[in-house]
Amino acid sequence: MPGPLLATLKGENLSRRPIWLMRQAGRYLPEYRALRAEKGGFLPLVYDSEAAAEITLQPLRRFGFDGAILFSDILIVPYAMGQDLAFLAGEGPHLSPKLVDHSLQALQGVPDRLSPIYETVRLVRASLKEEVTMLGFAGSPWTVATYMVNGEGSRDQHETRAYAYRDPEAFQAIIDAIIEVTVDYLDGQIKAGAEAVQLFDSWAGSLAPREYERWVIAPNATIAARIQAMHPTVPVIGFPKGSGEKLAAYARETGVNAVGVDETVDPLWAARELPAGMPVQGNLDPLLLLSGGAELEKRATEVLDAFADRPHVFNLGHGIGQTTPLAHVEQLLQVVRNWHR
Ligand code: CP3
């Protein structure tokens, strides 16, 4: 018997809404901050499978979410492709050498950098209740490429968008290389026990329409098709953040099984325009969760109502903010669990 999250991702519309939150394992939890301080940083945590499994389970113990998302990061893929990776305090991630001035061919892949992640998945799956769904994930090629090319995050992915116009063939080679490692990586997570996987395309929103087709829709379609061919029963969730009206084309054309909706999209529009019967996930503004109060309850109920007629996984429109009060998460869970038609 699949749990409610997995059943919903497979297309059932249950009376009770499943819920998990993006970035549910992380800095808003005091028990996360304590373990992170003990291990000395983010990467040491990710590479200590027992600690990473513990962190994956922390939000489940506290809140009883319907899904556990693997504790890792989308930048583990470039690390396995041979870039150096560092998370500097207060600065976010750094990758080197950056591909804007260094060739992809000169990178020496280190596939062993993926193995400890599979061990984390195995450890988590072994200690989860059967009805809780184990979620794996990876970054989508465009979003991962923005970090590989620029070496760090940027406001509007300027360097990478310019690179893709200047030298589309070299950029296609980067995208293709990311696709290969990502398919292996998701395959490994699924073999270790992931029951659904999410593709995070956090910077999909910065692309013009034709570039969106080429760098967002096409690579996600390739990954979805290859994963579905290997693992036909494992749903693939696509989350192309910031897509706006392009979300409808993404949902129709990529072949993903379910689609994540960010908070800039009107849920009534999404309910109407996305393919009939396709499971959707989202889309409460994380800042409403941070703010709490009556408005949180009202807006969460609006999201639940808007998606009443299709399979819906309750989630935020993007990751939970690190200063979110734990009591607000409790309050949201009450609203979602008490909702009925
Ligand atoms: O959702 C989860 O709970 C699972 C774990 C997870 C992390 N990162 C842990 C993490 C997931 C799914 C991600 C995805 C991720 N990582 C994305 C896509 C989703 C999104 O948020 O848009 C992106 C763009 C990244 C890259 C990344 N990793 C950045 C930009 C940063 C630094 C930002 C920051 O808040 O400092 C990270 C670090 C990171 N990844 C942290 C966590 C919990 C914070 C590490 C820490 O300092 O403790």
Side-chain angles (χ1 to χ4, degrees), residues 23 25-27 32 42-47 52 55-56 69-80 85-87 92-95 113-114 116-118 120-121 135-140 143-144 147 153 181-182 185-186 189 198 200 202-203:
R23 288 280 180 103
R27 283 180 294 197
Y32 170 81
F42 175 68
L43 264 194
L45 270 185
V46 168
Y47 278 96
I55 286 174
T56 306
I69 183 155
L70 166 66
F71 183 75
S72 176
D73 196 82
I74 66 166
L75 300 182
I76 296 303
V77 162
Y79 191 45
L85 172 61
F87 288 87
H94 286 262
L95 287 167
R113 287 175 174 169
L114 301 177
I117 315 298
Y118 306 145
T120 304
V121 176
L135 300 164
F137 75 92
S140 288
T143 291
V144 171
Y147 291 95
V181 178
T182 301
Y185 184 42
L186 292 173
Q189 292 179 31
Q198 177 154 322
F200 285 87
S202 305
W203 307 125

Side-chain angles (χ1 to χ4, degrees), residues 231-256:
H231 304 285
T233 63
V234 175
V236 176
I237 310 165
F239 177 51
K241 187 170 165 307
S243 295
E245 64 181 0
K246 298 199 275 316
L247 186 61
Y250 178 98
R252 282 193 309 271
E253 294 171 20
T254 54
V256 296

